[in-house]
Every structure is written in structure tokens, then in C-alpha cells.
């Protein structure tokens, strides 16, 4: 199964920026390549349900964003490095959460829903102070 490792979280003041990285490995054991997957970033804040932040198709680069982050966050894929990034700008305190990256074998239908993703990384904590 594909293995995912998220990194790049930390403490930042409101208005600041962070760049999260998600590195995928071992996916070839499933006889797939990196561009066969969709990769998503999901977050879970204390007391709240996990929500989709942004998801991307590694094959064509199409992406979806939550309304709350559109215009501030940008997802991108570097297929040569088997890595997906989430550039987060103009961070707000309400962005504070554990951020997880996840993968699914790309169905090419779009959307960004946690229950559609079956491979998950460990998560990285983002804390935004006011």
C-alpha cells in the first residue's frame, strides 16, 4: 500500500505562511504509479469533524478547494518527487488543526471528501496565533 508522510506544520502568527509537504512511497507494490492517485489535504480541529481542505489529481493537476481556503491556499504536485504541497498564505486562527494528507486511486471525478480516501499519513500540526 502507498505510504504517506506529511511535514511542514508549525506555529505561525495570523497573516503568516506555511508550506506543507506530503511525500508518497511504496505505491509501486500495488502496481500503480504516483500519477494514478489523487492526493488530498484534510484537517481536523479540536471538537470538529475532519474536513477536506484541498485535493488534487496527480495525473492532470485538477484541484478542488474548500470555500474557506480558496484564494489563500494552493495545492500543487511534483510528480518527479512523488510529492504534493500545500502552500498556505494569510493564515487565520481558524486554520489551526492537524493537517493530514491522504490518497486514493484516482477516480477522476473531482471532489474532496475524506470518506473517499483510503490511504492516510500521520498528520502535521498547524497552529495559528492571533
Amino acid at each position: 500500500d502507498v505510504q504517506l508522510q506529511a511535514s511542514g506544520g508549525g506555529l505561525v502568527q495570523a497573516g503568516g505562511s506555511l508550506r506543507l509537504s506530503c511525500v508518497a512511497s511504496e505505491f509501486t507494490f500495488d502496481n500503480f504509479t504516483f500519477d494514478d492517485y489523487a492526493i488530498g489535504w484534510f484537517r481536523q480541529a479540536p471538537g470538529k469533524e475532519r474536513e477536506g481542505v484541498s485535493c488534487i489529481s496527480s495525473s492532470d493537476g485538477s484541484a478542488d478547494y474548500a470555500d474557506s481556503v480558496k484564494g489563500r491556499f494552493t495545492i500543487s504536485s511534483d510528480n518527479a518527487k512523488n510529492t504534493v504541497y500545500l502552500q498556505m498564505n494569510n493564515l487565520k486562527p481558524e486554520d489551526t488543526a492537524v493537517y493530514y494528507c491522504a490518497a486514493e486511486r484516482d477516480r477522476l471525478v473531482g471532489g474532496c471528501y475524506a470518506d473517499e480516501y483510503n490511504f492516510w499519513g500521520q498528520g502535521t500540526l498547524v497552529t495559528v496565533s492571533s
Side-chain angles (χ1 to χ4, degrees):
D1 293 341
V2 61
Q3 305 292 314
L4 304 168
Q5 184 158 3
S7 62
L11 175 64
V12 65
Q13 291 184 330
S17 299
L18 287 171
R19 189 193 194 198
L20 306 184
S21 299
C22 177
V23 181
S25 62
E26 301 184 27
F27 46 82
T28 55
F29 287 107
D30 295 329
N31 200 33
F32 289 95
T33 59
F34 182 75
D35 63 0
D36 292 319
Y37 290 88
I39 306 294
W41 285 99
F42 302 85
R43 67 186 181 187
Q44 188 163 21
K48 296 184 178 180
E49 294 185 343
R50 188 170 297 183
E51 65 174 340
V53 178
S54 184
C55 294
I56 188 170
S57 170
S58 297
S59 61
D60 63 10
S62 61
D64 293 291
Y65 295 89
D67 288 344
S68 60
V69 307
K70 192 171 185 178
R72 299 187 297 120
F73 292 8
T74 303
I75 192 169
S76 61
S77 177
D78 187 339
N79 289 15
K81 298 180 179 179
N82 298 329
T83 301
V84 169
Y85 303 97
L86 185 68
Q87 179 66 46
M88 305 186 294
N89 297 326
N90 192 24
L91 284 160
K92 302 176 180 180
E94 51 263 43
D95 295 318
T96 295
V98 177
Y99 284 71
Y100 300 89
C101 65
E104 63 158 346
R105 294 175 183 174
D106 199 345
R107 299 166 298 126
L108 302 176
V109 295
C112 193
Y113 304 103
D115 59 5
E116 297 178 348
Y117 284 73
N118 56 336
F119 305 111
W120 290 82
Q122 296 300 306
T124 185
L125 177 63
V126 172
T127 303
V128 184
S129 62
S130 60

